[in-house]
Amino acid sequence: MNNELPSPFWKWQFASDNVAPMCPEAMEAMNQANADWSPSYGDDPWTQRAKQRIQDFFETDCSIYFVFSGSAANAMTLSHYCQPYHAVICSPTGHVVTDEASGPEFFIGGGKLIHVDGPHGKVDPEGIEPVFVRGHDIHSPKPRVLSVTQTTEMGGVYTPEELNRLGAIARRRDLVFHMDGARFFNAVEALGVAPRAITWEVGVDALSLGATKNGGPLCEAIVFFNQEGLEEMEWRRKMGGQLASKQRYLSAPFHALMQPQVWSRNARHANTCARQLVDGLAEIEGITLRFPVEANAVFIRMPEPLAQGLWDKGWHFYPFSEVDAYRLMCSWNTDTDAIQAFLADAQELAGRVC
Ligand SMILES: *Cc1c(COP(=O)(O)O)cnc(C)c1O
């Protein structure tokens, strides 16, 4: 049966956007960077050019640090701002909470993640003030950072207005405003706004900018719009094992992805595929939508036998028990034939089990 499929992992493609390979431009940049000797530890021309493109993208001066993973970007950033007695306000479904094995707390050397829930994986602005009210002054951890995820882990997209409101609260409460942008490009594409309109213009101080899920190999950038106090950031990155000696292999593909026609094409394809997938799923008996689809993630509810049937047919996707749903992700190279095949299988199974 598997012999008929285009690849042994073809039915894995909805499992995550990181099952996708690198896009051709990123691969080509790797090859170019590999054509010659190069200064190491970031003193190479690729790193300089990639930083310039990121600055152009955000239309502002900013400090940029390339790292290997999104978890590292978050941990390095949060530990830069926090003392061990500090707290980070974030969603209970945030990657920093559920998927980083306490990396933020470890690098902070203590620290606490205070959960503020909200719809669609967002932090509800109304939930922030109570954190300050219920605290016991110096007896409680001191809130220091407000961290949001764009797009959220549940596939939600914060609008500029929502971020503006959160930014205003952060300013009023003297909180650093951090954004986990592992899927930032999907959000920009979904909103159709300038990247500055959802970052520094609404008060974001620091962004973990993800290229891996946009078609990169393994390259993420910490972008500091607020450049105060960064004198020792280089040491923090080095201590965290995140200073790449052959940094050109992070920055060259990043440089390639920062071309407007590349990042936007990749993000648009992922978002469009999620839309196609959900439109098809909506027609199938027994399947309901758990969250509105705003970017490249689809969250659905379905009877357990239907999910099991799809797994038995070889499809890979994950249950997200904390939100009582199954997640299907689309990526820059989701195969539209796979969408049709998945829908056909779901339709056929639903006829039997629903
Ligand atoms: C994928 C992801 C990251 C980064 O994960 P790594 O595996 O550490 O690269 C960070 N935040 C969110 C929301 C993600 O989805």
Side-chain angles (χ1 to χ4, degrees):
M1 158 78 187
N2 259 359
N3 297 342
E4 300 165 20
L5 299 178
S7 105
F9 296 112
W10 194 70
K11 288 187 169 181
W12 276 71
Q13 60 183 294
F14 302 117
S16 178
D17 31 10
N18 56 25
V19 299
M22 294 164 64
C23 73
E25 291 84 356
M27 193 65 220
E28 171 58 24
M30 279 289 213
N31 278 324
Q32 286 175 13
N34 202 43
D36 201 354
W37 289 272
S38 165
S40 55
Y41 293 108
D43 293 332
D44 62 278
W46 293 103
T47 297
Q48 295 321 308
R49 282 190 235 137
K51 286 181 178 176
Q52 186 58 55
R53 275 204 178 149
I54 293 173
Q55 292 182 338
D56 293 346
F57 175 71
F58 287 109
E59 303 176 75
T60 188
D61 192 27
C62 46
S63 291
I64 297 146
Y65 299 81
F66 294 104
V67 295
F68 293 96
S69 77
S71 299
N74 290 338
M76 295 300 107
T77 307
L78 296 174
S79 61
H80 166 67
Y81 285 113
C82 291
Q83 294 290 329
Y85 48 82
H86 280 148
V88 176
I89 296 173
C90 57
S91 161
T93 55
H95 199 269
V96 288
V97 176
T98 61
D99 285 275
E100 299 182 0
S102 301
E105 296 95 322
F106 175 79
F107 280 98
I108 291 169
K112 194 175 180 68
L113 305 181
I114 296 182
H115 305 172
V116 171
D117 212 349
H120 214 167
K122 295 178 181 177
V123 171
D124 179 358
E126 299 288 335
I128 298 174
E129 201 52 34
V131 171
F132 288 86
V133 176
R134 73 168 177 253
H136 296 162
D137 195 34
I138 61 160
H139 304 278
S140 296
K142 183 174 193 284
R144 170 73 174 133
V145 178
L146 170 62
S147 181
V148 299
T149 310
Q150 178 77 312
T151 66
T152 73
E153 287 75 4
M154 301 305 136
V157 177
Y158 285 97
T159 63
E161 295 70 31
E162 287 172 325
L163 291 169
N164 198 32
R165 187 163 170 215
L166 289 163
I169 296 171
R171 267 194 307 285
R172 189 165 70 245
R173 278 302 191 171
D174 203 20
L175 295 168
V176 172
F177 194 7
H178 168 250
M179 181 178 281
D180 174 350
R183 300 191 179 90
F184 185 79
F185 295 108
N186 298 92
V188 174
E189 190 55 36
L191 291 165
V193 296
R196 62 180 151 75
I198 51 171
T199 52
W200 58 273
E201 281 190 348
V202 292
V204 172
D205 295 296
L207 168 74
S208 303
L209 178 62
T212 307
K213 287 169 180 158
N214 188 245
L218 67 174
C219 49
E220 311 279 301
I222 308 171
V223 181
F224 286 100
F225 300 109
N226 179 349
Q227 299 180 74
E228 278 168 36
L230 290 173
E231 297 77 13
E232 298 182 355
M233 190 62 203
E234 290 288 3
W235 278 270
R236 184 174 299 281
R237 177 173 60 167
K238 178 72 201 188
M239 177 188 71
Q242 294 296 319
L243 175 60
S245 69
K246 291 186 170 181
Q247 196 167 131
R248 57 197 179 278
Y249 296 116
L250 303 188
S251 54
F254 218 119
H255 178 254
L257 285 171
M258 289 315 298
Q259 299 171 93
Q261 72 276 19
V262 178
W263 67 258
S264 65
R265 178 204 64 204
N266 287 356
R268 194 179 325 120
H269 182 79
N271 293 358
T272 306
C273 284
R275 173 53 48 205
Q276 266 182 35
L277 184 58
V278 78
D279 286 349
L281 290 168
E283 305 289 312
I284 297 173
E285 196 194 338
I287 295 183
T288 55
L289 199 54
R290 173 67 179 85
F291 295 112
V293 173
E294 297 181 348
N296 62 326
V298 175
F299 282 84
I300 53 171
R301 284 190 168 126
M302 60 182 150
E304 210 273 326
L306 178 49
Q308 191 57 55
L310 288 162
W311 284 327
D312 290 345
K313 282 182 180 288
W315 295 104
H316 278 257
F317 55 91
Y318 293 107
F320 270 58
S321 55
E322 68 267 50
V323 290
D324 182 24
Y326 298 92
R327 187 190 78 169
L328 298 160
M329 283 310 289
C330 294
S331 74
W332 72 270
N333 83 333
T334 299
D335 182 353
T336 48
D337 287 347
I339 297 178
Q340 294 316 317
F342 184 86
L343 291 172
D345 280 351
Q347 182 83 59
E348 186 247 321
L349 282 162
R352 281 196 272 139
V353 303
C354 293

